[in-house]
Amino acid sequence: RELPGWDGDVGWAYLGAFYTAAPFPLKSLTKAAALFKTLVDKAPASRRNHYYSGVVALRRDRWAEAREHFSEALRQKCGSLTELDFCAYMEEQARLGLVEAESHTQRP
């Protein structure tokens, strides 16, 4: 709250990641997706925001949406302090997520 907008609103990314990974009954992919949609709208040039949006879409079996976010994550550079420390990991995982999403969208 003290620094709204700092680093692409990274605090909301942490909250979205929590809802993605939390155990029942706290886990909510719906809440996570809504948070990451807001983040992508606020900071569309963030690799982190698109990567996490892709992860949530993949877990919700929304293959085309996952493909879109992973592709965009791979196009974006890591430019913030909190993205730089796991930039290579996001790139590697976005590539794997993209392959997974494409395998589901290319089925006859």
Side-chain angles (χ1 to χ4, degrees):
R1 290 183 185 195
E2 293 179 19
L3 298 170
W6 182 77
D7 196 12
D9 286 305
V10 68
W12 295 106
Y14 295 142
L15 185 58
F18 168 78
Y19 281 121
T20 302
F24 177 83
L26 299 174
K27 182 177 188 169
S28 173
L29 295 178
T30 302
K31 287 181 182 178
L35 287 165
F36 290 124
K37 181 186 181 325
T38 299
L39 283 170
V40 167
D41 290 345
K42 287 184 172 202
S46 167
R47 176 178 282 183
R48 177 197 60 229
N49 295 348
H50 284 286
Y51 168 72
Y52 280 133
S53 293
V55 168
V56 171
L58 200 66
R59 291 188 179 182
R60 297 174 81 197
D61 296 338
R62 297 188 177 190
W63 312 116
E65 185 179 334
R67 187 179 64 217
E68 179 182 318
H69 284 297
F70 286 135
S71 294
E72 190 59 32
L74 291 169
R75 282 191 283 276
Q76 299 301 328
K77 296 190 184 307
C78 293
S80 74
L81 296 174
T82 59
E83 288 181 345
L84 290 174
D85 63 342
F86 73 121
C87 187
Y89 173 82
M90 283 191 292
E91 181 176 352
E92 174 187 320
Q93 294 302 305
R95 288 187 194 288
L96 293 173
L98 185 57
V99 168
E100 178 69 17
E102 286 177 342
S103 75
H104 290 278
T105 56
Q106 294 178 356
R107 290 183 178 164

